[in-house]
Amino acid sequence: MTKDRQDATFNRRDLLKLSAVGGAVIAGASLVGARPVFAAEELSLKGKRIGISTAGTDHFFDLQAYNAQVEEVRRLGGEPIAVDAGRNDGKLVSQLQTLIAQKPDAIVQLLGTLSVIDPWLKKARDAGIPVLTIDVGSTNSLNNSTSDNWGIGKDLALQLVSDIGGEGNIVVFNGFYGVTPCAIRYDQLVNVVKYFPKIQIIQPELRDVIPNTVQDAFTQITAILNKYPEKGSIKAIWSAWDIPQLGATQALSAAGRTEIKTYGVDGSPEVLQLVADPNSPAAADVAQQPAELGRTAIQNVARLLAGETLPRETYVPALLANKANVGEVSKKLGIG
């Protein structure tokens, strides 16, 4: 991530100012002519019922984004209808069906495997219910609030490549390619690594799981270390989010293989603490702003219902935390 983008991030007051003059940070080819009509302080959801559906709330990112949506709907005078699928695809489909039947004024979907949720997002739109999303790349979403996952993937990959000197074996967790942000971040890793022929991704790639992500990552990495016992035979471990990184880091420390570095995304407090530890293998974590993503999505609902034309995507800044700057990043996130 560039310094210019870092300087533009994380300050709630700055984001509100941006909203007043131009909405949250936005980009994309489809944005031509998309200019906000309402300042953030003019928004209202009085008398509106807003469906909030999430794939789960067991992760720091999910819970922060979910709670922020509920709070923002209430702050704007609306009634949230909030449901949590608990990482169960069947329950996720069922809760979307229930929301559609209740005919809220809008539905916001937070995360979820696209092939599972997209048919139901389409049914909602066909029923005349506006659908907005957070971190879901669906053509049925009128607006998707998200981090710049292309930038996140590139920045994390470049940090990894730099840290290992452009060569060596790396282990990759790739268990959720059906989740759009994970796919983009993985593709960006591959795009960067292909220009460094001395870097090899160990095959087969690992599959991270939900639930018991930390324990499973610990077990899988321990098995990999037994297969590659010589120091230097593995240089880094990459994952699209930072809970597998947490388990991998714990496995490396337990095995005394702290020469191997770990990388992830989300900015969970426990992982940022590991990045701050000079003796920990945790080398970098890209911190997102989940609560700001939740608030932004609900404010976009209010804009839409007030007649404003929304951009296809609304980007909320993220920031790469590494050993050198993790204290500054944590402070900006309000968790340091």
Side-chain angles (χ1 to χ4, degrees), residues 233-298:
S233 56
I234 297 174
K235 292 291 189 67
I237 300 170
W238 179 97
S239 55
W241 54 311
D242 60 13
I243 300 306
Q245 180 187 11
L246 180 59
T249 301
Q250 292 174 352
L252 294 175
S253 296
R257 295 292 297 276
T258 54
E259 85 281 5
I260 302 172
K261 303 178 186 302
T262 67
Y263 299 82
V265 177
D266 276 336
S268 302
E270 59 266 45
V271 177
L272 290 179
Q273 289 176 4
L274 289 173
V275 175
D277 181 352
N279 298 316
S280 170
D285 187 19
V286 180
Q288 301 189 85
Q289 296 192 84
E292 194 58 46
L293 282 164
R295 285 189 288 267
T296 298
I298 297 304

Side-chain angles (χ1 to χ4, degrees), residues 105-304:
D105 292 286
I107 292 175
V108 180
Q109 174 64 42
L110 168 62
L111 291 172
T113 301
L114 188 60
S115 59
V116 173
I117 61 175
D118 214 28
W120 300 99
L121 300 185
K122 183 178 185 304
K123 287 183 182 294
R125 288 199 64 181
D126 290 346
I129 303 170
V131 172
L132 287 79
T133 51
I134 300 174
D135 263 357
V136 177
S138 168
T139 56
N140 293 302
S141 171
L142 296 173
N143 170 269
N144 183 41
S145 295
T146 184
S147 301
D148 174 3
N149 287 295
W150 290 270
I152 286 174
K154 172 184 65 67
D155 291 343
L156 191 66
L158 290 174
Q159 178 77 57
L160 183 155
V161 168
S162 175
D163 288 347
I164 67 174
E167 60 180 292
N169 292 324
I170 63 174
V171 175
V172 170
F173 282 96
N174 185 22
F176 298 101
Y177 196 81
V179 177
T180 306
C182 296
I184 294 171
R185 296 167 195 167
Y186 172 83
D187 288 345
Q188 290 293 72
L189 171 72
V190 173
N191 287 338
V192 169
V193 166
K194 72 181 181 183
Y195 292 102
F196 296 88
K198 292 184 178 180
I199 295 178
Q200 300 295 324
I201 297 176
I202 292 176
Q203 300 296 330
E205 296 171 341
L206 303 184
R207 298 287 181 264
D208 40 331
V209 301
I210 295 177
N212 300 319
T213 308
V214 174
Q215 298 91 327
D216 179 79
F218 187 102
T219 301
Q220 291 198 66
I221 292 303
T222 299
I224 285 285
L225 296 179
N226 289 332
K227 190 175 181 180
Y228 293 84
E230 294 183 6
K231 290 196 173 184
S233 56
I234 297 174
K235 292 291 189 67
I237 300 170
W238 179 97
S239 55
W241 54 311
D242 60 13
I243 300 306
Q245 180 187 11
L246 180 59
T249 301
Q250 292 174 352
L252 294 175
S253 296
R257 295 292 297 276
T258 54
E259 85 281 5
I260 302 172
K261 303 178 186 302
T262 67
Y263 299 82
V265 177
D266 276 336
S268 302
E270 59 266 45
V271 177
L272 290 179
Q273 289 176 4
L274 289 173
V275 175
D277 181 352
N279 298 316
S280 170
D285 187 19
V286 180
Q288 301 189 85
Q289 296 192 84
E292 194 58 46
L293 282 164
R295 285 189 288 267
T296 298
I298 297 304
Q299 290 172 13
N300 281 342
V301 170
R303 294 177 188 281
L304 178 72

Side-chain angles (χ1 to χ4, degrees), residues 91-106:
K91 185 176 180 182
L92 181 54
V93 168
S94 177
Q95 74 184 22
L96 283 170
Q97 291 175 316
T98 300
L99 282 177
I100 293 169
Q102 292 180 327
K103 298 181 178 178
D105 292 286

